[in-house]
Amino acid sequence: MKRLIALAISLAAIMVACDDSTQYKISGKITNAEGQYVYLDELKVSSSENVDSVKINKSGEFEFDGTVQHPTFFLLKLSEKNFITLLVDSAEQVYVSGDAANFSRDYLVTGSEGSTLVQELNQHLSNTKHQLDSISSLHVLFRNDPNYPTLKTKWEEEYKEVVEKQMKYSQNFVTTHPFSMANVLALYQKFDDQNFVVQDLQSLKTAASALNSFYPESEHVQALYANTIKLITDERNARINQLIREQGKNSPDIVLPDPDGKEIALSSLEGKHVLVQFWASQDRGSRIMNPVLVELYKKYNKKGFEIYQVSVDENRYEWLDAIDQDKLSWINVGDMEGSRTALMNYNVQSIPFNYLLDEEGKIIGKDLKGPALDRLLSKALN
C-alpha cells in the first residue's frame, strides 16, 4: 500500500511538472513605476482583451503567468499610450525591463524569440517613419527657397529610397521567418492608413500558407488566410477586368477538345455572338439551365448566335450522357480534368456561369440567366 501511495504521489508530481512546463511566465522590472499597475491584454484581430493586472512592487518588479495553445500576441501596458507588444509561446520565460518614462520606445526583452522579432519589426518601421517625417518636413521648411525645385527632386528620391529599403527589409523578414507568428505583424504593418509595407502578393500567399499549416487554430492566422484568399480573388477579378479594358475582347483564348477529340478554339467563333457557358453534367443548376439554352439556341442560332459550352467534368461518360439526354447540339468542349486553366483564366467561381461575347469577342454580359440572356440577344441580333 505504501508503495502504491508513493507511486501515486510521484505520478502527481510528474503531472504538475508537465503542467508547469506548458505555462508561460512574463516578469520584469520597470523603473520609476513603483506602486503603479501594469496590465496584460491579449491582442485579438480587431480588439484587445484584458487577461490580468498586477501592482508593481517597490523594486519595480512584476510577474504574470498563464497558458497558451500557440504563439499569442499580448500588450504589456502601463497606460493606453504607453505599452509594448509581446509574442509569447507556451513555456517561455519572458523577462522585460525598461523605464516608465519611455517604456514603449526603449525596453529590453529576453526569453522569447517571437517578442524579440516583434520588437525588431516595430523599431525598424519606427526608424523608417522617423526618416520619412524628417524628409517631409524639409519640404515645408524650404518651400520658399529659390533652390526648392532642385531640392524637391533630391528629397523625393531620398524618400523613395527609404520606402524601398523598408519594403525590402520587411519582405526579406517574411521570407526568412516563414513559420514565425511575427510574420502576421510584418504583413499588416503600414506606412500610413492606406499603404501596407509588404505589397508583394506572393510573399503574402507563402506566409499565410505556411502559418496556416502550423497554427490553423490561431485567430490571427485564420484572419490572415481569409484575407489572402480574398486578395487573390480580387487580383484575378482585376486582371480579367484589365484584359477586357485593354484588349477589348475575351482573352486568353480557350482551346479544348470536343466529344470527338477535335480541338476547337473559342477564337474561331469570332464574327458571331457567342455564349461561353461553364457547366458540369452532375450539377443540378447546370442541367436546369440547359433546356433554357436549347430554346434560345433554336430562336437565335440562325441569326448568328453560337454556344461554346465548357465542361468541368472529370467523367467522360457522364458528360456524353448529359449532352445526349439534354439534346445539346452546339459546341461542347472539355479536357475531362476539370478544364481548370479555362476556369482560372476566366475567374469562374461557381457553375453554371457564362459570358456573352459580341462579334469581336468583347464581353457584353456575364452570368446571364434565361430572361436576361433572351433580352440581350434580342437587342443584339434583331
Side-chain angles (χ1 to χ4, degrees):
M1 178 62 72
K2 290 182 178 180
R3 292 182 62 185
L4 288 174
I5 293 173
L7 178 60
I9 293 172
S10 298
L11 288 173
I14 292 171
M15 291 176 67
V16 169
C18 289
D19 287 342
D20 288 343
S21 71
T22 64
Q23 283 196 323
Y24 67 79
K25 183 171 78 171
I26 302 172
S27 61
K29 183 174 183 178
I30 304 176
T31 55
N32 296 311
E34 298 82 358
Q36 295 183 35
Y37 276 89
V38 60
Y39 303 88
L40 186 68
D41 291 1
E42 182 179 345
L43 186 59
K44 304 288 189 176
V45 170
S46 56
S47 63
S48 61
E49 181 179 297
N50 182 250
V51 175
D52 200 358
S53 63
V54 295
K55 193 173 185 178
I56 300 172
N57 67 22
K58 293 181 180 180
S59 300
E61 298 170 335
F62 66 91
E63 182 177 311
F64 296 100
D65 58 49
T67 58
V68 290
Q69 302 303 314
H70 48 73
T72 302
F73 289 98
F74 289 103
L75 301 179
L76 189 64
K77 299 165 51 177
L78 289 175
S79 68
E80 291 301 319
K81 294 184 178 180
N82 195 10
F83 63 87
I84 65 172
T85 304
L86 302 174
L87 177 56
V88 180
D89 204 351
S90 60
E92 286 190 332
Q93 306 293 300
V94 189
Y95 188 84
V96 178
S97 60
D99 186 84
N102 58 353
F103 184 56
S104 62
R105 299 186 303 275
D106 186 18
Y107 66 95
L108 293 175
V109 59
T110 59
S112 172
E113 181 182 3
S115 297
T116 301
L117 292 175
V118 165
Q119 182 182 31
E120 177 188 323
L121 280 168
N122 284 331
Q123 287 185 344
H124 198 284
L125 182 59
S126 177
N127 292 337
T128 294
K129 287 183 175 181
H130 180 72
Q131 293 179 60
L132 295 178
D133 289 342
S134 297
I135 295 172
S136 296
S137 67
L138 293 174
H139 289 276
V140 177
L141 291 172
F142 292 90
R143 189 168 296 278
N144 297 319
D145 190 290
N147 296 319
Y148 178 68
T150 302
L151 294 171
K152 179 175 179 289
T153 301
K154 174 177 175 291
W155 293 332
E156 285 176 347
E157 285 298 318
E158 290 178 358
Y159 192 98
K160 182 180 178 182
E161 288 177 5
V162 173
V163 168
E164 290 179 347
K165 186 177 179 180
Q166 174 67 47
M167 293 174 70
K168 185 176 181 180
Y169 161 82
S170 296
Q171 190 167 327
N172 182 64
F173 181 97
V174 172
T175 304
T176 306
H177 307 90
F179 299 107
S180 172
M181 284 282 288
N183 263 345
V184 174
L185 175 62
L187 293 167
Y188 281 124
Q189 282 187 322
K190 291 182 176 181
F191 288 113
D192 50 48
D193 290 341
Q194 303 298 322
N195 298 295
F196 285 96
V197 175
V198 178
Q199 299 179 12
D200 175 52
L201 184 56
Q202 184 57 46
S203 295
L204 182 61
K205 288 192 288 188
T206 300
S209 177
L211 290 173
N212 189 59
S213 67
F214 266 61
Y215 310 112
E217 72 283 2
S218 166
E219 179 186 2
H220 290 282
V221 171
Q222 290 171 4
L224 176 66
Y225 194 77
N227 185 51
T228 303
I229 296 299
K230 183 180 183 302
L231 287 173
I232 293 170
T233 301
D234 290 346
E235 184 206 29
R236 288 176 179 171
N237 283 332
R239 185 174 60 191
I240 192 165
N241 286 334
Q242 182 180 7
L243 287 168
I244 293 167
R245 288 194 303 270
E246 292 179 352
Q247 300 186 19
K249 68 176 187 178
N250 203 325
S251 178
D253 199 6
I254 299 176
V255 181
L256 288 170
D258 68 5
D260 296 324
K262 178 185 176 183
E263 290 194 340
I264 300 178
L266 174 61
S267 59
S268 68
L269 302 177
E270 286 190 12
K272 297 182 179 182
H273 280 75
V274 181
L275 185 74
V276 184
Q277 177 81 10
F278 293 86
W279 76 299
S281 65
Q282 300 303 300
D283 175 62
R284 184 171 179 270
S286 297
R287 299 298 293 273
I288 290 173
M289 186 69 175
N290 278 344
V292 178
L293 295 180
V294 168
E295 292 302 315
L296 292 175
Y297 191 68
K298 290 178 182 177
K299 185 176 180 179
Y300 293 109
N301 176 241
K302 292 182 179 179
K303 295 181 179 182
F305 174 55
E306 187 56 73
I307 297 177
Y308 186 89
Q309 198 166 32
V310 180
S311 168
V312 301
D313 284 297
E314 297 184 2
N315 187 307
R316 177 177 173 80
Y317 297 104
E318 291 176 349
W319 176 47
L320 296 177
D321 186 53
I323 292 174
D324 183 58
Q325 285 187 20
D326 294 352
K327 298 179 173 56
L328 310 182
S329 58
W330 50 74
I331 298 170
N332 239 298
V333 296
D335 59 11
M336 296 303 101
E337 294 180 357
S339 301
R340 294 180 182 84
T341 300
L343 284 174
M344 182 181 68
N345 288 342
Y346 286 86
N347 194 34
V348 176
Q349 303 296 315
S350 61
I351 55 171
F353 194 87
N354 59 46
Y355 291 98
L356 181 63
L357 317 182
D358 68 7
E359 300 99 320
E360 297 177 353
K362 291 174 60 177
I363 293 177
I364 58 174
K366 67 177 183 178
D367 199 22
L368 298 165
K369 302 301 187 286
L373 179 57
D374 191 9
R375 285 194 298 271
L376 193 51
L377 287 173
S378 177
K379 181 179 179 181
L381 297 172
N382 288 329

